[in-house]
Amino acid sequence: MNRQERFERILASLHEAMFDDSHWVETSALIDEACGAKGNHLVFQTTSRDDDIAPLFMRFCYRGEHRSEWEREYLANDYPADEHLPRLRQLPVDRIVHVTELLSEAQLKHSATYNEIMPRYHFQDGLNVRLDGPRGSRIVWGIADPSDGKGWSTDQVDMVARLLPHVRQFVRMRHALVEARGLQTTLERLLDNTRAGVIQLDRQKRVVAANDRAGELLCQGTLLSDRAGLLHLAVPIDNSHLQRLLDRALPRFGGQGESGSMVVRRSYNHPSIALHVTPVEERDCGFRSLRAAALVLAVDLKEQGRIDRHVLRTKLGLSAAESEVAALVAEGKSIREVQAAIGRSVHTVRWHIKQAYAKLGVSRQAELTIVVRAVGGILPLAEEALG
């Protein structure tokens, strides 16, 4: 298999993993093979706050195996002492660096980070890169030591660089699907979604199906419309961007399509809309949407990042006040910000948090955040990471 075939195989696997988390381990193994690495880890947070250590997505995968015990160990024991993080957070986005560039000479000689922590995760010769997304979200991708022990070749680093935008897009699209409750479902059932506009296109970029929410947008025609069955945006510069995304997702002469996203800004009293475009495998389609070759997801940005309070009350048994406080904490708010949002004292906020701790069997805000995000519509760590 040549480099291009490996690359296209990774893209196809990334698209499957967007909809079903179980595919990420396979995707990670393909990345390891193409890059000649022992493993990789991917971490996603929606906040850039350094004291928020509860990621929305965290996967340590090595040689086709998900190492959830390493995730637990790192968060519980190694994160507070990890001396390479401050410099990593200051890196320019998309700049690939060797881990030794993030530590001083003294740290390389004496620190526990380099001499004890990193060897456990096969990362003394690893690469790091920030892929941060919009609105302060933080994406960090680490590629573990070269599998041959000979250091990084130019070809290996070039493959890592080539994959960067696609790994970022995987996180972006997956997060949008999580918030729209669109994971692990068929394309047919996705048309019943009420949290996002869903449009399916055939290989000629014609609309073959749309859910009710997308249908409203298309009927209004002030932002998004279908002219003779083809999607168009009202503003020419936005429409040009959309057509480029569609061309990449559905290449004219076949081959593996690529995912992409854009933001469409509206008037001050209407939220902006994110459009996420991704190819889909026709074999996975339901009967009615048999010809679907691409999916367009339209999401109001004001709705992203909000946890469903009703679900917290019904599934976790929290009171209305406890649900509100727990949700605000899980959305990244500080205690003072929660206090200002609900109009009660800091003492009351802390009391509601303690009540939630008792009901959920947790003892820290990071643990509370993981549980709340798991049931409230935001992607958590693997369930076994709670053990």
Side-chain angles (χ1 to χ4, degrees):
M1 186 182 300
N2 61 36
R3 286 170 55 84
Q4 181 60 26
E5 289 172 335
R6 284 197 178 102
F7 177 74
E8 293 190 356
R9 189 178 174 194
I10 291 170
L11 292 193
S13 189
L14 278 170
H15 297 149
E16 291 188 30
M18 288 175 185
F19 292 89
D20 187 345
D21 188 42
S22 65
H23 286 285
W24 173 251
V25 176
E26 176 185 348
T27 305
S28 177
L30 292 173
I31 291 172
D32 292 344
E33 180 184 358
C35 297
K38 291 182 178 179
N40 67 87
H41 61 256
L42 183 62
V43 181
F44 171 53
Q45 297 169 282
T46 55
T47 173
S48 58
R49 283 172 41 199
D50 294 343
D51 60 344
D52 183 356
I53 66 169
L56 300 189
F57 184 90
M58 185 175 189
R59 291 294 182 272
F60 283 24
C61 295
Y62 288 73
R63 297 174 177 172
E65 182 181 358
H66 177 203
R67 303 302 300 266
S68 57
E69 75 279 11
W70 287 3
E71 295 167 2
R72 293 194 298 268
E73 179 184 355
Y74 180 78
L75 282 179
N77 303 321
D78 299 329
Y79 177 88
D82 194 339
E83 294 169 305
H84 91 295
L85 293 179
R87 291 189 182 181
L88 174 60
R89 292 169 183 145
Q90 299 303 315
L91 279 181
V93 173
D94 290 344
R95 179 181 171 187
I96 302 169
V97 300
H98 194 277
V99 68
T100 55
E101 298 179 58
L102 303 175
L103 295 163
S104 67
E105 290 187 14
Q107 288 170 335
L108 291 174
K109 292 179 180 178
H110 306 295
S111 79
T113 295
Y114 186 69
N115 296 290
E116 297 177 23
I117 295 175
M118 289 183 177
R120 288 205 307 273
Y121 303 119
H122 304 288
F123 206 69
Q124 265 193 319
D125 196 14
L127 303 176
N128 264 137
V129 60
R130 280 179 51 215
L131 303 171
D132 294 5
R135 296 186 295 160
S137 60
R138 176 182 287 165
I139 305 168
V140 173
W141 190 28
I143 300 89
D145 298 346
S147 54
D148 61 8
K150 297 180 179 179
W152 293 99
S153 70
T154 301
D155 285 346
Q156 287 173 296
V157 177
D158 286 347
M159 177 59 79
V160 173
R162 191 177 180 190
L163 288 170
L164 296 186
H166 304 287
V167 173
R168 178 191 291 110
Q169 183 60 26
F170 159 76
V171 174
R172 181 180 293 163
M173 181 71 182
R174 181 173 174 77
H175 185 52
L177 284 165
V178 167
E179 294 191 320
R181 309 284 169 81
L183 287 185
Q184 295 177 323
T185 187
T186 64
L187 291 177
E188 179 77 4
R189 291 185 60 187
L190 195 56
L191 291 171
D192 297 326
N193 194 286
T194 60
R195 295 171 65 90
V198 179
I199 302 171
Q200 296 175 4
L201 307 177
D202 65 15
R203 291 213 61 84
Q204 284 69 50
K205 298 186 287 187
R206 296 184 180 277
V207 176
V208 295
N211 70 348
D212 290 344
R213 193 156 183 176
E216 292 176 4
L217 279 173
L218 294 173
C219 287
Q220 291 170 1
T222 55
L223 180 74
L224 186 68
S225 62
D226 60 340
R227 302 175 188 173
L230 300 175
L231 286 183
H232 287 268
L233 287 169
V235 178
I237 191 171
D238 288 339
N239 187 57
S240 295
H241 191 173
L242 174 62
Q243 300 311 316
R244 288 194 296 272
L245 290 181
L246 296 177
D247 287 340
R248 287 200 294 267
L250 297 166
R252 178 179 299 180
F253 301 108
Q256 179 59 53
E258 300 180 7
S259 297
S261 299
M262 65 180 294
V263 173
V264 184
R265 305 191 183 282
R266 297 201 281 183
S267 59
Y268 74 94
N269 57 340
H270 290 88
S272 298
I273 287 182
L275 294 179
H276 305 281
V277 182
T278 187
V280 294
E281 293 290 333
E282 294 182 78
R283 59 181 171 81
D284 292 333
C285 300
F287 180 79
R288 190 176 66 186
S289 55
L290 186 62
R291 295 177 297 153
L295 174 74
V296 179
L297 197 69
V299 183
D300 284 353
L301 290 182
K302 73 171 183 179
E303 296 186 2
Q304 293 193 352
R306 181 172 173 82
I307 291 171
D308 192 329
R309 275 66 166 166
H310 175 72
V311 172
L312 300 187
R313 294 196 298 273
T314 57
K315 289 192 175 182
L316 296 182
L318 301 181
S319 69
E322 292 161 359
S323 297
E324 182 64 22
V325 169
L328 289 169
V329 169
E331 288 168 359
K333 301 292 192 297
S334 68
I335 297 298
R336 289 290 182 185
E337 289 171 331
V338 175
Q339 180 258 327
I342 69 173
R344 305 296 295 274
S345 69
V346 170
H347 174 77
T348 300
V349 171
R350 295 190 185 279
W351 186 82
H352 286 314
I353 290 175
K354 288 182 180 179
Q355 292 297 106
Y357 283 173
K359 290 183 179 180
L360 302 180
V362 300
S363 59
R364 297 185 303 152
Q365 284 190 29
E367 295 170 336
L368 173 70
T369 296
I370 291 170
V371 175
V372 168
R373 287 170 174 170
V375 302
I378 295 182
L379 186 67
L381 290 169
E383 290 182 11
E384 61 266 27
L386 298 177

